Amino acid sequence: MPSMDVVSKTDLAEVDNAIQGATREITTRFDFKGSKCTVERTDATILVTADDDLKLKQVDELIRGYLARRKIDGGAFDFGKPEKASGNTIRQTITIKQGVDREVAQKIIKAAKGSKLKVQVAIQGDELRVSGKKRDDLQAAIALVKDLDIELPLQFVNFRD
């Protein structure tokens, strides 16, 4: 019985490379001279500290640009609201979304059942297992999931016959 997994994973090594590139550009750009702008990643969060709103927006654009260059989908990041930090600086927390949320999983399951495809969808932790009798059913399920309006970047892995 063919099966596959629907997952949402972000390559943290590529995120680190993008952050290092953004940090390198911050240290060399003239408009950031003398400012205390930092970008740090711990586990699944990125902490951005800047002097003011303008510099924070510029750092956000830099991070988004470097993530796009590394072919990392911007939908995998949740940019939090800027908040005041110590020393007249502004801090922003960016969370990296890993895994398929329960709501997204329910939406995919409901769409699969409503489409009358002959596949079974099961939630396994933070991923979905889709199984069916034919390979064509799984490919139709992939097309169905891609057509849904889901902001998470989804990958289809472990395609087995």
Side-chain angles (χ1 to χ4, degrees), residues 47-132:
L47 186 67
V48 179
T49 309
D51 293 340
D52 52 25
D53 287 332
L54 179 66
K55 289 209 176 25
L56 184 68
K57 288 179 184 173
Q58 289 175 336
V59 171
D60 276 355
E61 289 178 16
L62 276 176
I63 291 172
R64 289 177 199 258
Y66 274 94
L67 289 172
R69 288 181 199 163
R70 292 277 175 188
K71 293 183 176 54
I72 300 173
D73 195 345
F77 299 93
D78 184 24
F79 287 81
K81 294 195 178 197
E83 55 191 34
K84 297 281 184 191
S86 62
N88 286 336
T89 59
I90 296 177
R91 176 179 48 220
Q92 182 179 26
T93 305
I94 304 169
T95 57
I96 303 170
K97 298 177 190 173
Q98 294 277 30
V100 180
D101 302 3
R102 194 113 181 111
E103 297 86 35
V104 174
Q106 294 291 338
K107 186 176 180 181
I108 292 172
I109 290 172
K110 187 175 181 182
K113 285 185 179 179
S115 69
K116 305 291 185 197
L117 286 176
K118 296 191 178 189
V119 294
Q120 292 81 35
V121 184
I123 300 174
Q124 294 183 340
D126 60 350
E127 59 186 42
L128 296 171
R129 170 71 46 95
V130 181
S131 57

